[in-house]
Amino acid sequence: MRYLLSILCLLTFSAKAQNLLSGKYPVAELKQLLVPQAKWTPFPRLNDRAGWAKADPVSGKAIIQKAEGFINYEWPGVPAIKSLQIVRNGNRSEYEAISFKKREVLGTLLLAEIYENKGRFIDPIINGVWSVCEESFWGSPAHLPKGPQYMGLHDVSAPFVELFSAETATFLAWVDYFLGEKLDAVSPLIRKRIYSETNRRIFEPLMTKHHGFMSSNAAGRRPNNWNPWICSNWLNAVLLLEKDDTKRIAAVSKILGVLDNFLNPHPADGGCDEGPGYWGAAAASLYDNVSLLNLASNNAFTYVYKDEKFRNMGQFIYKAQISEKYFLNFADADPQPGMAASMIYRYGKDISDPAMMEFGAYYMTDKDKSSLGRFHYFRNFFSLFMQDEFDKAAKGLPLPGDVWWPDLQVMVSRDQAGSTKGFFVAAKGGHNDESHNHNDIGNYVVYYDGLPVLIDIGRGSYTAKTFSNKRYEIWYNCSDYHNVPTVNGKTQPPGAEFKATNVSYKTSAAASQLSLDIAASYPADAGIVKWQRNIKLNKGKNVQVEDALQLKAAGDYTEHLMTCFPVEVVKPGTLVVHAKQDFFIHYPAKRLQPTIEKVSMETMEDKGVIEKWGPDIYRINLKSIGSVSKENIGITISK
């Protein structure tokens, strides 16, 4: 009976949790709640000097000084040849460097003019607005739809919206909001063009055409960070620019529905399968949307902050931390992502989580006061009016001892809660169709004193190949360059059907362990009946990985281990990893034969790996000796 009541409670909670944003207010009520565009004042207007006197003066001084270097900035066009590089040689960085820099300059000049209010940045801003409006495409050629009708160039007659085009609308919208009267004094055509271009490129396409980020795809894969990230900029721009109240309400209503398409299927545990590096544009962007909605509705959406899933989504960022420098980087995540400190602090404050607030405050530095966030530009305005609070805030890293995300099937465990001292282990199950997927079921990482020992490579530099049908030609996306085995010459393929089964997790004061069968993550011709893997942290002692395998017929396998440090064989059965300290990997010498190889890194994709880990990546291969049909293998990592 108790079990039945639990199921009924769970179903009731799930039903209530659906459409958290779009299900609260009917359109008619939403119309009454939203502050009209002409009256909306999310931050002090330019002529409200008393209001701007409350903004952080240290940041203002640093921004003005930086902007002075941009007064004579020559606004470049974006050559078609740069756009064509994405199909000619796979390079996306040269185009994006030009585009991103222009927006950085525009955002800096805008804030400098707001702070100073002397008019000396107006002409450079007008040049910037005009230059951006004359671009054929506001986004990245890497995001163009696949097909012969594009081939690296955008069809200006058929606008569509992706990440950076939506970001561009945000920059222009804030220029209009703060400097509208000064622009009109030069020419009313400037603001007219801001709206015209934004309406044509952003508002109309989003209201009249379905975009892939708006919902789950045909295969059922739920939306990723594109959904809340684009919506946050769409919402920002439409709230500021759209004077037609009917259109404005309709857009906000649609945005709420699109956001629920991201939120409804999101795991209840709040786990981000894109990793901490993308959390800042996934759960964090969902928070951005709610923050903007509360500004525009006199806090009618604060109820969201009490939602358990929303809270879990926020808390993921500090629970996925390894040490001050390193974070979990399964899939395409970065091992050393930047922390949007002030936004994290605000998220923690709004969900009443002191640990998250301390975590955010920990990453606030004096450099933040002179450095503007290029993406999620609206976050800057929140920050400028909270610096005094930030400076006084308690700072700290929660570093929870054990975390288990049951939906994500990821375990985290460390020797000492609240400390980076000793061993840290993370391991994963899941499936091979996760967002930014790597084929990595059964993978794990080992750190000690906050520094890497056995690693997940993560991603390198993004190129045309990264999100194409050639994605798994890139070595670090493939299972044989993760800490998982190759069986009978077969590696894990991509696809949701390739997954972990028989997954269980347990923890105690002495040990934490993830157990999972990875057999189903390999193709049938790998010949695996069962491959039960147990990844265990014996706290204060060592890390044990035990594989109980059964093959359909006698065959062979190779256990792979990845590290960024040199490795050598000390004696049969013992390897040493020469990290900051030496670590020993013990294996059964009579059953496994080791070889160590240095991974060759020469491609465009590899540049990103070198930036994150340095020039040396080593793969340890422990190959089975003779034919095997059934056995238990144990590997231990110790000091």
Side-chain angles (χ1 to χ4, degrees), residues 221-433:
R221 179 193 271 190
R222 57 188 175 88
N224 67 4
N225 67 82
W226 275 47
N227 178 297
W229 187 354
I230 291 174
C231 281
S232 65
N233 288 288
W234 178 11
L235 178 65
N236 178 101
V238 81
L239 286 173
L240 289 173
L241 289 178
E242 185 52 73
K243 294 181 173 61
D244 185 312
D245 196 46
T246 300
K247 290 182 179 180
R248 190 168 180 258
I249 298 298
V252 173
S253 179
K254 183 170 183 178
I255 289 167
L256 295 178
V258 172
L259 287 170
D260 275 332
N261 290 340
F262 171 78
L263 184 57
N264 287 344
H266 198 286
D269 64 15
C272 180
D273 63 357
E274 300 176 89
Y278 285 93
W279 176 91
S285 283
L286 180 64
Y287 170 72
D288 288 334
N289 281 279
V290 179
S291 297
L292 289 167
L293 286 164
N294 278 315
L295 277 182
S297 65
N298 294 315
N299 294 316
F301 289 83
T302 54
Y303 71 90
V304 176
Y305 299 143
K306 296 180 175 64
D307 180 74
E308 184 176 1
K309 184 193 290 189
F310 185 85
R311 293 173 56 82
N312 289 341
M313 290 169 72
Q315 292 162 347
F316 173 85
I317 189 61
Y318 68 80
K319 293 179 180 179
Q321 182 176 34
I322 299 172
S323 60
E324 179 180 9
K325 184 177 180 181
Y326 290 101
F327 287 73
L328 289 186
N329 69 311
F330 295 137
D332 270 354
D334 193 319
Q336 300 177 47
M339 291 292 105
S342 62
M343 177 275 298
I344 293 170
Y345 177 92
R346 292 190 299 108
Y347 198 146
K349 183 178 181 179
D350 282 335
I351 65 172
S352 302
D353 184 342
M356 189 171 181
M357 294 170 68
E358 291 179 13
F359 174 86
Y362 183 90
Y363 284 99
M364 292 179 196
T365 66
D366 289 339
K367 183 181 177 181
D368 293 333
K369 295 186 178 184
S370 62
S371 177
L372 294 177
R374 184 176 63 210
F375 302 121
H376 320 287
Y377 183 73
F378 41 77
R379 292 177 185 172
N380 294 307
F381 296 108
F382 287 96
S383 299
L384 292 174
F385 290 91
M386 295 181 67
Q387 284 296 339
D388 187 56
E389 180 177 346
F390 295 156
D391 291 341
K392 296 175 182 176
K395 298 174 173 60
L397 299 180
L399 301 171
D402 293 281
V403 180
W404 168 239
W405 290 282
D407 299 305
L408 199 60
Q409 296 183 356
V410 169
M411 173 196 90
V412 163
S413 185
R414 66 178 77 241
D415 276 351
Q416 302 177 42
S419 172
T420 60
K421 294 295 183 183
F423 278 111
F424 170 97
V425 174
K428 74 179 298 291
H431 59 81
N432 280 337
D433 191 35

Side-chain angles (χ1 to χ4, degrees), residues 519-565:
S521 62
Y522 289 82
D525 56 0
I528 307 174
V529 176
K530 180 180 181 181
W531 195 295
Q532 192 71 29
R533 165 162 281 198
N534 298 310
I535 302 153
K536 184 178 183 181
L537 171 62
N538 295 305
K539 297 182 179 180
K541 296 179 180 179
N542 57 32
V543 179
Q544 291 180 310
V545 180
E546 298 177 345
D547 287 343
L549 61 104
Q550 182 180 348
L551 305 180
K552 293 178 181 177
D556 62 78
Y557 64 90
T558 301
E559 298 272 14
H560 302 293
L561 302 172
M562 305 299 299
T563 184
C564 53
F565 298 107

Side-chain angles (χ1 to χ4, degrees), residues 566-616:
V567 183
E568 64 175 320
V569 179
V570 176
K571 61 182 180 180
T574 304
L575 300 166
V576 61
V577 179
H578 296 297
K580 187 175 182 180
Q581 308 173 55
D582 283 350
F583 294 88
F584 297 93
I585 299 173
H586 305 283
Y587 62 93
K590 294 182 179 180
R591 294 152 83 180
L592 296 175
Q593 177 66 42
T595 59
I596 298 138
E597 60 178 305
K598 184 176 180 180
V599 178
S600 174
M601 293 191 287
E602 300 175 348
T603 68
M604 281 193 295
E605 292 83 11
D606 294 338
K607 291 179 182 178
V609 177
I610 295 169
E611 289 171 1
K612 295 171 180 63
W613 295 111
D616 301 324

Side-chain angles (χ1 to χ4, degrees), residues 492-503:
Q492 297 181 13
E497 68 271 29
F498 300 103
K499 60 186 179 181
T501 60
N502 194 29
V503 179

Side-chain angles (χ1 to χ4, degrees), residues 464-484:
K465 186 182 286 189
T466 308
F467 299 107
S468 73
N469 57 8
K470 297 181 180 180
R471 178 175 176 82
Y472 297 101
E473 293 179 9
I474 303 173
W475 61 275
Y476 50 74
N477 292 338
C478 303
S479 65
D480 51 339
Y481 287 90
H482 288 79
N483 302 317
V484 299

